[in-house]
Amino acid sequence: MASVILVFCLDMWFFDIPAPCQLFVACGKFFYGVGLSFIAAYIFYLITVHYPEVGNVRTVYKVSDFPAMAIVTNIERIFIDMAEKQGRDIKRENLNGELIKDILSSTRCYDDSTLNGVDSQGKTKAKNWLGYIVSVEKTYRSFINDVKPLYSQLDSEYVAAISEIEQCDFSQPIMAMLPFLILQREAQQQSQQNTDSITFGSGLEDFFLKLYNKSQALRKIIEERRLRYKY
């Protein structure tokens, strides 16, 4: 910027002012040449280095965008599908901690989910919600694996957000806690019917909320990169 201002001032005013001696003329020509050199070097840098690098970075983030956002949407879909099964039309934008707790407390672990599977006899059958969350976890972890080859070209904040989700224990601790919840319910009520009515609101909410919050942190980063690199 200083070089541009110097060259501009020399062209517009200083060259029209009579110099008191040849030293001033020589200095003026020297600084004018240096200024032009800096401007030429900067333009060369933009053309040969900066713009190609920005283009490459934009391409990398554009390629990573689909699998990274798929991680987020698969996690959000857990709560949207649970609400849909309850006859509630909930948009992704409306999800929050209190609403998620309400959805979980109304979703029984052993009820049929919105996802179908194949039983031992080869027949199509709706998976219960426990099988559903296992399937969803496998899906979003497959998208994490799709992004991993790009880690070296993505910024540290982006990579850290995805790694946080990858390291987040989800379905396994839920499965591990469920037998204790069943034993507790049976000890209290001695009823298999009540055992089958155990919901995800029975002390399991924290696992879902932790995963959801991490997904929203990743969503924010993805949307920021879209604005920054304009893809």
Side-chain angles (χ1 to χ4, degrees), residues 92-109:
R92 189 273 305 172
E93 296 81 3
N94 297 329
L95 287 174
N96 57 57
E98 289 305 313
L99 180 57
I100 287 173
K101 288 181 180 179
D102 180 52
I103 293 170
L104 293 172
S105 66
S106 303
T107 303
R108 294 184 294 189
C109 300

Side-chain angles (χ1 to χ4, degrees), residues 4-16:
V4 174
I5 294 173
L6 173 63
V7 171
F8 178 79
C9 290
L10 287 170
D11 272 332
M12 293 298 294
W13 296 295
F14 294 158
F15 279 164
D16 295 330

Side-chain angles (χ1 to χ4, degrees), residues 165-182:
I165 294 175
E166 182 181 20
Q167 296 167 15
C168 181
D169 290 331
F170 181 49
S171 63
Q172 285 187 355
I174 292 174
M175 300 298 183
M177 280 189 64
L178 204 59
F180 295 101
L181 293 174
I182 292 173

Side-chain angles (χ1 to χ4, degrees), residues 17-202:
I17 300 174
C21 65
Q22 288 300 314
L23 177 62
F24 280 75
V25 175
C27 288
K29 290 181 178 179
F30 173 77
F31 286 115
Y32 186 76
V34 171
L36 285 177
S37 297
F38 274 112
I39 293 172
Y42 182 67
I43 293 173
F44 180 79
Y45 165 78
L46 289 178
I47 294 173
T48 61
V49 178
H50 179 70
Y51 290 135
E53 284 186 353
V54 170
N56 290 337
V57 170
R58 183 182 292 115
T59 299
V60 169
Y61 280 95
K62 187 175 182 179
V63 170
S64 69
D65 186 88
F66 174 77
M69 187 56 79
I71 298 167
V72 176
T73 54
N74 271 276
I75 293 171
E76 293 171 342
R77 194 73 215 173
I78 296 171
F79 313 107
I80 294 172
D81 282 351
M82 286 181 175
E84 181 184 322
K85 195 69 175 180
Q86 298 166 20
R88 304 161 70 179
D89 183 17
I90 294 177
K91 304 299 182 184
R92 189 273 305 172
E93 296 81 3
N94 297 329
L95 287 174
N96 57 57
E98 289 305 313
L99 180 57
I100 287 173
K101 288 181 180 179
D102 180 52
I103 293 170
L104 293 172
S105 66
S106 303
T107 303
R108 294 184 294 189
C109 300
Y110 292 101
D111 275 0
D112 290 344
S113 70
T114 57
L115 185 65
N116 290 327
V118 179
D119 61 18
S120 58
Q121 298 177 344
K123 296 181 180 179
T124 301
K125 181 181 179 182
K127 292 186 176 183
N128 62 32
W129 286 107
L130 294 172
Y132 172 95
I133 64 172
V134 171
S135 294
V136 169
E137 183 174 18
K138 288 180 179 178
T139 300
Y140 74 69
R141 289 192 183 279
S142 72
F143 284 114
I144 291 175
N145 290 332
D146 290 341
V147 183
K148 277 185 174 181
L150 301 172
Y151 273 8
S152 62
Q153 301 174 73
L154 299 170
D155 63 78
S156 59
E157 185 182 26
Y158 200 111
V159 173
I162 297 175
S163 298
E164 282 286 320
I165 294 175
E166 182 181 20
Q167 296 167 15
C168 181
D169 290 331
F170 181 49
S171 63
Q172 285 187 355
I174 292 174
M175 300 298 183
M177 280 189 64
L178 204 59
F180 295 101
L181 293 174
I182 292 173
L183 289 173
Q184 184 181 47
R185 183 68 63 88
E186 288 178 343
Q188 291 173 349
Q189 301 181 10
Q190 293 295 319
S191 170
Q192 184 61 41
Q193 182 179 358
N194 287 326
T195 298
D196 290 342
S197 69
I198 289 178
T199 70
F200 289 108
S202 306

